[in-house]
Amino acid sequence: MNPEFSTSTTAQVLRSLPKRYAKERRFRLLGLCAIVLTMLFLMVLLGTIFLKGWTAFQQTHIRLDVYFDPVRLDVKNLANANYGALVRDSMQRMFPDVEGRSNRLQLNRLISSGAAFTLQDMVTSSPEIIGTTRSLWLPADDEVDMLIKGHTPRDVPETIRRLSDQQLVWIDTLVEDGRLEKQFNGAFFRNGDSREPELAGVRGAITGSFYTLMVTLMLSFPIGVAAAVYLEEFAPKNIFTDLIEVNINNLAAIPSIIFGLLGLAVFLNFFGLPRSSSIVGGLVLTLMTLPTIIIASRASLKAVPPSIREAALGIGASKMQMILHHVLPLALPGMLTGTIIGMAQALGETAPLLMIGMVAFIVDVPQSLQDPATVLPVQIYLWADSPERAFIERTSAAIMVLLAALLIMNATAVYLRNRFERRW
Amino acid sequence: MSTLETTASLQKGFAVPRENIGSRVQKKSRKIDRENRETVGLQFVDDPRMTCRAVNVFYGEKHAIKNVSIDIGKNEVLAMIGPSGCGKSTFLRCLNRMNDTIVGCRVTGEIRLDDLDIYEKNIDVVPLRAQVGMVFQKPNPFPKSIYDNVAYGPKIHGLAHSRSELADIVEDSLRRAGLWNEVNDRLDQPGTGLSGGQQQRLCIARAIAVRPEIILMDEPCSALDPIATATVEDLISELRQHYTIVIVTHNMQQAARVSQRTAYFHLGDLVEVGHTSRIFTNPAHQLTEDYITGRFG
């Protein structure tokens, strides 16, 4: 070996080294920047949502001593009794010196109009409380709630304030008496949508989302897996199957609102399925999720090593046995992951559901697949559109619920993948 | 001397008993020219299990196997050797129609198992593959327990009528594969957790559990260390008592150790077949000599 050559090579290598290392450092720095930037955006997003939304999990309540007056409650006609009057009587008793119709009206506005429904439910479920006095925590009106939480300012002129000076005095009195405090907002998880922010909840949307996703899962998983298995294992390779493959890939890229239009035309107009229902929502989302599941399933079928297939065929397994006994079990974790990712996508989908009427204002929690329903993202959309200040925090709270659901689904996907993944 | 005559005379020559081969070696007979790809040697035997006639295999446009005719005798070990890409694995896979799974693969000619043409239209490959088992190059146990690996074949073919009968088949197969003593206390553990040599013997046990008559082995020892290889080779010699074995190997010593007949493939042609001892001491074809003396391969 020529020593001169060797030293000159070394010298050249050494000369080029700083440049190479600098390149590497630059590349690493760039990657780091990208990560930091994404994390920053994510933090800002989640941070603002949390800061705006966490207060919605609390609701200002007012303690009323309600006298279930037998005069106002006719036992024979409980359904039509004036429960609002019970609430007004109680308010009146707390502030006996309030005179005049407009003043009383102002006083009564402090308590939520939903308080009457709470009383009605109590009386209907146990009529024996008629004639007694109960101390009850009833939701305050959303304007009071906003003031207590500090979302609306109190040190501005009365004319641009939602609450009058007189109402502020009453509120302060209530706080001093310990009759007004923030409590856990159970109504947010118990109720459906409402025009009154303090009564509005996500239960209807969660139930709607659940039904819709169940329909989607029940249809898209078996159909998607069957399609993937057929295309990957049985279908002859010809122009026709190539065409199908291209179209499946294209379907995955079609804007979701177009699936909504298709659902509107086919499921509602042609098949006459009930408008706004979970079943139609599920069908539309199935169309949307299918390509994702098919593509993921095919990829995981392809990833099964050919040696396993050969082993099965080599000892005389039929094609079906090879697939059912060996290929599918190995491909299943990948298929499940793909399915859950598809489901998570479907859970967050809004546009196609607007087209089939799931954007309607629906108060009742859906009881079946045919009932009108809404879903979480659409509920968020509806609330984000509402003018009341209190809906801002509820919008963020609903987003948190949606994100939690997504997080749980993705965690399930990771868990399933690790649980069922087998090594070969 | 024309080619045909050469072949014929050489064929006659190979009928000479083995003890005479030594004397022929010393004569330093003239080899057949490299360009001549007509098969020479002992292609046909008296009591064949499988007979292959004018077999051609195409992968799309590629002509992978060219007009190969050979017999596989009863209870013999036939070794197939040749440089990489010469088609020996392809030919092996024709014997139980494993090539069917490869898209664009076309087989012409005739391959008979006893009197059955296995490429006939209405032949079902499932019973064929149960009869002609296969062991692959890389150990490929199912990601299941050792017991399930061996029991799978008998189960799908309904060979066992009871649980205990199945257990007997599993034990018997593992014993024959020389694995029983090593694994009998952990049959419920995954087959993929065994060492490479053990995995390959597990695959052999799995293949013989369906009671095949012929076992095809595609470089069964290429992924194994020398000790595991020796175990598998002993096993092959033992299995020969009951089975007909066709083995593809890159290892010429291995072919010499385990086989009775050896076939040399070169670029899709079956160049030479003959008794193993003769092929390795006095090949008739120049290409064979080039290969076994290490000039290429």
Side-chain angles (χ1 to χ4, degrees):
Chain A
M1 196 174 166
N2 186 347
E4 281 165 37
F5 177 76
S6 146
T7 41
S8 81
T9 314
T10 314
Q12 265 182 330
V13 168
L14 285 176
R15 256 204 312 283
S16 73
L17 267 184
K19 216 171 171 183
R20 283 197 255 168
Y21 286 145
K23 213 176 207 173
E24 189 180 323
R25 270 196 301 277
R26 272 201 303 279
F27 187 75
R28 276 206 234 164
L29 199 70
L30 218 66
L32 202 66
C33 282
I35 298 277
V36 166
L37 207 67
T38 37
M39 290 315 285
L40 205 71
F41 278 126
L42 197 68
M43 299 278 270
V44 168
L45 178 77
L46 294 182
T48 45
I49 288 171
F50 182 76
L51 285 180
K52 270 190 199 167
W54 75 274
T55 47
F57 295 116
Q58 286 195 318
Q59 162 70 29
T60 309
H61 283 68
I62 297 174
R63 188 158 60 99
L64 286 186
D65 297 320
V66 181
Y67 174 53
F68 290 92
D69 194 346
V71 179
R72 293 205 186 271
L73 297 167
D74 179 5
V75 187
K76 291 193 192 83
N77 196 5
L78 282 177
N80 292 332
N82 189 352
Y83 295 96
L86 291 182
V87 180
R88 286 196 292 276
D89 292 349
S90 313
M91 291 297 277
Q92 201 67 57
R93 272 196 301 282
M94 275 198 294
F95 299 98
D97 46 349
V98 175
E99 297 289 337
R101 191 179 143 75
S102 74
N103 274 347
R104 277 185 200 161
L105 206 63
Q106 277 200 15
L107 178 64
N108 291 333
R109 279 215 185 113
L110 293 183
I111 196 104
S112 165
S113 57
F117 298 119
T118 314
L119 299 186
Q120 181 173 15
D121 287 345
M122 287 177 73
V123 173
T124 322
S125 64
S126 49
E128 64 272 11
I129 61 170
I130 295 172
T132 61
T133 304
R134 295 287 169 99
S135 183
L136 299 172
W137 284 101
L138 294 171
D141 188 69
D142 59 303
E143 294 301 343
V144 180
D145 190 37
M146 288 299 103
L147 186 88
I148 296 294
K149 286 173 180 169
H151 290 320
T152 47
R154 58 186 295 161
D155 44 2
V156 290
E158 191 178 7
T159 43
I160 59 166
R161 223 190 296 125
R162 303 278 298 184
L163 293 168
S164 66
D165 289 342
Q166 180 59 55
Q167 282 175 313
L168 291 185
V169 173
W170 289 329
I171 289 170
D172 292 339
T173 319
L174 283 170
V175 173
E176 271 165 37
D177 292 353
R179 283 184 172 273
L180 187 149
E181 64 178 47
K182 284 187 280 184
Q183 291 178 341
F184 176 67
N185 188 2
F188 185 70
F189 296 101
R190 267 199 314 271
N191 294 354
D193 198 6
S194 171
R195 287 283 180 239
E196 303 298 328
E198 70 273 12
L199 299 177
V202 288
R203 172 90 177 275
I206 288 176
T207 317
S209 274
F210 178 76
Y211 282 148
T212 309
L213 280 191
M214 275 302 115
V215 173
T216 310
L217 182 68
M218 291 298 157
L219 290 173
S220 61
F221 184 65
I223 296 176
V225 169
V229 168
Y230 179 78
L231 282 175
E232 201 55 47
E233 306 287 343
F234 291 103
K237 301 273 172 280
N238 54 28
I239 292 184
F240 189 63
T241 46
D242 284 348
L243 205 71
I244 290 178
E245 192 174 340
V246 169
N247 276 305
I248 287 173
N249 292 338
N250 282 345
L251 274 183
I254 283 183
S256 53
I257 194 141
I258 295 177
F259 284 109
L261 277 170
L262 179 76
L264 174 64
V266 175
F267 299 130
L268 295 186
N269 292 346
F270 186 74
F271 287 111
L273 288 170
R275 192 170 295 273
S276 308
S277 60
S278 312
I279 186 158
V280 178
L283 285 169
V284 168
L285 292 181
T286 300
L287 295 179
M288 245 196 57
T289 319
L290 262 180
T292 315
I293 294 183
I294 293 175
I295 291 167
S297 299
R298 290 189 67 178
S300 61
L301 282 172
K302 270 199 193 107
V304 174
S307 66
I308 296 292
R309 295 162 192 273
E310 288 190 329
L313 291 177
I315 52 172
S318 65
K319 198 159 190 182
M320 202 63 218
Q321 286 170 326
M322 171 192 89
I323 292 165
L324 282 184
H325 298 161
H326 302 288
V327 177
L328 266 188
L330 291 176
L332 210 58
M335 292 177 167
L336 285 178
T337 314
T339 306
I340 291 174
I341 288 169
M343 287 293 119
Q345 209 182 330
L347 176 63
E349 203 53 67
T350 324
L353 301 180
L354 304 184
M355 283 287 135
I356 54 155
M358 288 188 98
V359 72
F361 171 71
I362 291 148
V363 177
D364 292 326
V365 175
Q367 301 297 319
S368 75
L369 292 179
Q370 286 98 340
D371 285 348
T374 190
V375 293
L376 271 171
V378 177
Q379 187 69 76
I380 290 167
Y381 167 78
L382 284 171
W383 283 351
D385 240 15
S386 300
E388 287 88 349
R389 177 65 183 79
F391 271 125
I392 293 175
E393 60 172 28
R394 274 165 176 75
T395 307
S396 295
I399 291 172
M400 279 196 262
V401 171
L402 181 63
L403 287 180
L406 286 172
L407 212 65
I408 290 169
M409 289 179 80
N410 284 338
T412 316
V414 172
Y415 173 76
L416 284 177
R417 196 172 52 210
N418 293 341
R419 174 77 179 70
F420 292 115
E421 196 164 56
R422 299 198 218 187
R423 320 234 167 267
W424 49 74
Chain B
M1 214 168 21
S2 80
T3 321
L4 253 173
E5 278 168 339
T6 317
T7 315
S9 66
L10 276 164
Q11 251 170 8
K12 224 196 282 167
F14 296 147
V16 174
R18 275 170 68 172
E19 53 266 27
N20 288 357
I21 289 171
S23 59
R24 286 180 59 88
V25 175
Q26 276 142 24
K27 268 193 227 160
K28 201 97 181 114
S29 59
R30 204 181 120 75
K31 305 293 177 197
I32 293 165
D33 188 69
R34 289 195 181 92
E35 298 312 310
N36 186 347
R37 298 293 170 80
E38 202 100 10
T39 308
V40 298
L42 193 59
Q43 279 170 277
F44 309 115
V45 296
D46 290 338
D47 56 341
R49 273 322 300 273
M50 294 193 91
T51 52
C52 312
R53 294 292 178 268
V55 176
N56 284 283
V57 180
F58 303 86
Y59 290 124
E61 289 298 297
K62 190 175 178 283
H63 198 168
I65 292 285
K66 297 166 191 162
N67 209 24
V68 167
S69 297
I70 189 172
D71 280 352
I72 298 157
K74 211 167 237 162
N75 289 11
E76 79 164 353
V77 178
L78 172 69
M80 303 207 283
I81 57 171
S84 296
C86 69
K88 50 197 191 306
S89 289
T90 301
F91 183 70
L92 187 76
R93 292 167 65 96
C94 288
L95 299 178
N96 69 345
R97 291 187 57 176
M98 281 302 280
N99 278 341
D100 290 12
T101 55
I102 297 167
V103 178
C105 177
R106 198 158 51 83
V107 180
T108 64
E110 187 188 78
I111 300 178
R112 284 182 180 276
L113 171 63
D114 297 331
D115 285 324
L116 188 80
D117 183 354
I118 65 169
Y119 276 91
E120 211 173 274
K121 269 225 169 68
N122 49 8
I123 286 289
D124 189 352
V125 294
V126 168
L128 170 71
R129 286 179 189 151
Q131 212 174 348
V132 185
M134 191 155 191
V135 176
F136 297 87
Q137 181 172 2
K138 222 180 96 199
N140 56 354
F142 299 130
K144 299 179 181 224
S145 73
I146 294 169
Y147 183 91
D148 287 339
N149 259 288
V150 183
Y152 181 70
K155 252 189 227 166
I156 57 169
H157 294 303
L159 296 181
H161 301 291
S162 68
R163 209 174 269 264
S164 64
E165 204 177 328
L166 187 63
D168 288 344
I169 294 178
V170 171
E171 180 177 342
D172 183 52
S173 309
L174 283 170
R175 272 188 199 287
R176 284 198 206 189
L179 197 59
W180 176 254
N181 291 332
E182 291 162 53
V183 301
N184 61 21
D185 53 342
R186 46 176 173 150
L187 289 176
D188 54 341
Q189 288 183 13
T192 41
L194 296 171
S195 74
Q198 288 174 323
Q199 285 190 16
Q200 193 61 300
R201 278 181 286 153
L202 177 62
C203 294
I204 294 174
R206 182 177 64 189
I208 59 185
V210 293
R211 310 216 174 108
E213 289 154 41
I214 298 165
I215 302 176
L216 310 176
M217 296 186 171
D218 191 353
E219 297 181 36
C221 300
S222 65
L224 305 186
D225 64 65
I227 294 169
T229 304
T231 321
V232 172
E233 283 178 12
D234 288 346
L235 176 60
I236 292 170
S237 304
E238 216 149 289
L239 290 174
R240 187 167 76 85
Q241 316 297 322
H242 308 280
Y243 305 98
T244 300
I245 296 172
V246 185
I247 178 170
V248 165
T249 179
H250 264 300
N251 182 334
M252 280 176 277
Q253 285 79 23
Q254 181 172 66
R257 280 192 298 263
V258 302
S259 70
Q260 280 72 57
R261 273 201 310 154
T262 299
Y264 173 68
F265 282 78
H266 189 91
L267 297 176
D269 290 301
L270 175 57
V271 171
E272 184 169 359
V273 199
H275 286 298
T276 300
S277 50
R278 197 197 51 71
I279 289 273
F280 285 107
T281 49
N282 184 21
H285 204 289
Q286 189 62 46
L287 281 169
T288 317
E289 172 154 302
D290 289 350
Y291 181 67
I292 62 172
T293 53
R295 223 166 287 173
F296 60 79

